[in-house]
Amino acid sequence: MRETVEQAGRATAQLMRGAALALVSYLFVGLLLFTALATVLVVGAGVLPETVLLLRRMAGFKRRQVAAWTGQPVPEAYAPLTGELFERVRTATWDPGTYRDLRWLFAHFGYGLLLAYGSLIVWSFGWFVDGVWCGLLRRPAVVLPLVSRLADLDAAWSGALLTPSPEAQRSAALAERVEELTVTRAGAVAAHGAELRRIERDLHDGAQARLVALSMRVGLARRAFDKDPDAARRLLDDAQHQAEEALTELRHVVRGIHPPILTDRGLLGAVRALAASSGLDVAVDADGLEGEDVPRAPAAVEAAAYFVVAEALTNAAKHSGSERAWVELARTAGRLRIVVRDEGRGGAETPGAAASGAAAPGTAASGSVGAGTGGGMGGGTGGSGLLGMRRRVAALDGIMEVTSPAGGPTVIEVELPCAW
């Protein structure tokens, strides 16, 4: 009997919340009339998109209610209200989701209140009937369970009215995907531009400056050759030293574009070389990447994975305070998985972490791998390392999750689509 009463209480609370929403929808009708009049008069057309957004929020609240009661989410499909005023008004007017929500709004005003009143009637009889039936005759309750049936009915009707058609769901998913790819493309373009500026800066400040100095020393040596051979020899020695430094700078720039070690040794060999030179005690585990017959990932995927590991290990060595790190590489069906973990201080934060599709659910804290102090691979605030990593991963339509609670550990997980 106690369980029956508790379940009936939860069902009644669900119905009362629905009744409250139905009363709000009654007030919303006045807003709809005002919006319609303002839109007809043109001067108030800007109110229409805002009213539709408010309607969507009400419908979203009901969807969450139904999902909480049934355990099954109710999908939604709306056209985004973006752009200029005329475009937003047109979208709000012609979006099938608007009419679906209006249909639910008017219907729910009726059945929401009716079912709530019905639950009160059931309670008034249920206390007596089930009290006698269960308390004296020791039989299962027969009246109070009807309250749960009423709540089920409310959820079923609301779910049916609010669920978009399969075509609408596909269109909404396509629009969401296009928007996600637009953001991803913008991030990839920004990352590409930043990379070009870095290369230009490295060439200008490094190799170019050394080549200019080399040219000057060779010229001075040529002028001094007949008059002072010893001075000319010293200048040529300096010129040779400048040429070696220029070559070193050029190799550094080339490694920043596409590390030659990736071409020579593959991803696993390149990662092991990174681990050996990182300054940390790094354990590298590989699953499905060893063996002569194992196909290699595409060059773009290998490069992205390499730079993710390199950035994570570099910053773990600088900022984490840990002496150990772990790198896992795994080949799965159609994907390459990378996990980098350190036992550092954690508590990292990422500016703009949500920029890529991977502001991942379940992330405790996202860390910036750039400059700064504290954190594990995250290294505090103000850096841009993780943002750059996210852009690299997002450009390949991958997923990146960062977990960095205070006190550690910091874990970076990346999955890249890969046609093996």
Side-chain angles (χ1 to χ4, degrees):
M1 179 63 180
R2 179 179 178 181
E3 294 180 358
T4 301
V5 172
E6 290 178 351
Q7 177 64 16
R10 289 192 292 269
T12 303
Q14 175 78 2
L15 291 171
M16 290 301 113
R17 286 191 291 268
L21 188 60
L23 292 175
V24 172
S25 67
Y26 175 75
L27 300 176
F28 192 78
V29 171
L31 178 60
L32 288 175
L33 294 175
F34 169 77
T35 301
L37 179 62
T39 304
V40 170
L41 295 177
V42 178
V43 294
V47 180
L48 179 61
E50 302 303 322
T51 304
V52 170
L53 285 175
L54 182 58
L55 177 61
R56 290 181 180 182
R57 292 190 184 97
M58 291 178 61
F61 177 78
K62 188 60 182 180
R63 285 188 177 93
R64 290 190 294 274
Q65 259 194 336
V66 172
W69 179 255
T70 63
Q72 297 293 329
V74 181
E76 62 178 39
Y78 295 115
L81 294 178
T82 57
E84 300 294 332
L85 176 59
F86 175 76
E87 184 179 353
R88 288 188 287 123
V89 170
R90 183 179 61 181
T91 302
T93 304
W94 295 106
D95 182 15
T98 301
Y99 298 98
R100 183 172 54 251
D101 289 350
L102 285 173
R103 181 184 61 186
W104 162 80
L105 182 75
F106 289 109
H108 184 257
F109 174 68
Y111 71 77
L113 292 176
L114 181 62
L115 293 176
Y117 291 147
S119 69
L120 297 179
I121 295 174
V122 171
W123 270 104
S124 63
F125 287 99
W127 277 114
F128 176 73
V129 174
D130 285 341
V132 174
W133 190 252
C134 297
L136 298 180
L137 302 179
R138 304 296 181 183
R139 300 293 182 85
V142 294
V143 178
L144 288 180
L146 294 177
V147 181
S148 295
R149 300 286 180 86
L150 293 177
D152 292 338
L153 195 59
D154 173 75
W157 286 349
S158 297
L161 290 170
L162 289 173
T163 299
S165 64
E167 294 79 8
Q169 294 185 53
R170 285 193 292 269
S171 298
L174 180 60
E176 183 179 355
R177 181 62 175 158
V178 169
E179 184 177 358
E180 178 184 346
L181 290 176
T182 301
V183 173
T184 299
R185 184 183 63 180
V189 170
H192 179 66
E195 188 72 6
L196 288 178
R197 289 190 295 273
R198 182 192 66 80
I199 294 171
E200 180 183 11
R201 183 176 62 251
D202 289 347
L203 289 174
H204 181 272
D205 298 341
Q208 177 177 298
R210 297 189 186 281
L211 289 173
V212 170
L214 170 63
S215 176
M216 293 175 62
R217 280 174 170 76
V218 170
L220 291 173
R222 187 178 61 181
R223 292 189 183 93
F225 184 77
D226 294 330
K227 299 179 181 180
D228 190 353
D230 292 336
R233 188 175 296 107
R234 288 194 298 272
L235 288 171
L236 288 175
D237 290 340
D238 289 343
Q240 183 179 6
H241 181 67
Q242 290 288 340
E244 292 172 353
E245 290 185 342
L247 285 174
T248 302
E249 292 285 348
L250 287 174
R251 291 192 188 100
H252 177 73
V253 173
V254 169
R255 283 196 298 270
I257 299 173
H258 185 84
I261 194 172
L262 274 177
T263 304
D264 298 337
R265 300 174 57 181
L267 177 61
L268 182 56
V271 168
R272 283 174 173 165
L274 280 175
S277 61
S278 67
L280 297 173
D281 182 8
V282 181
V284 179
D285 295 327
D287 183 9
L289 293 175
E290 295 184 285
E292 296 181 356
D293 298 332
V294 175
R296 290 186 58 171
V301 175
E302 283 193 341
Y306 176 86
F307 284 116
V308 164
V309 176
E311 187 75 34
L313 291 181
T314 298
N315 288 276
K318 288 181 179 178
H319 308 303
S320 72
S322 174
E323 296 181 354
R324 293 182 55 82
W326 292 263
V327 178
E328 298 178 15
L329 302 174
R331 174 190 174 194
T332 61
R335 304 189 80 81
L336 173 64
R337 186 168 184 267
I338 307 105
V339 180
V340 185
R341 172 192 175 103
D342 73 50
E343 298 294 337
R345 290 182 287 271
E349 296 177 357
T350 298
S356 80
T363 298
S366 299
S368 168
V369 195
T373 59
M377 286 169 253
T381 60
S384 59
L386 258 187
L387 183 57
M389 291 164 65
R390 289 182 185 278
R391 284 175 171 170
R392 281 185 182 274
V393 172
L396 297 177
D397 203 20
I399 300 171
M400 177 173 171
E401 296 185 6
V402 181
T403 305
S404 183
T410 297
V411 182
I412 295 179
E413 300 181 60
V414 173
E415 287 192 3
L416 297 171
C418 183
W420 296 98

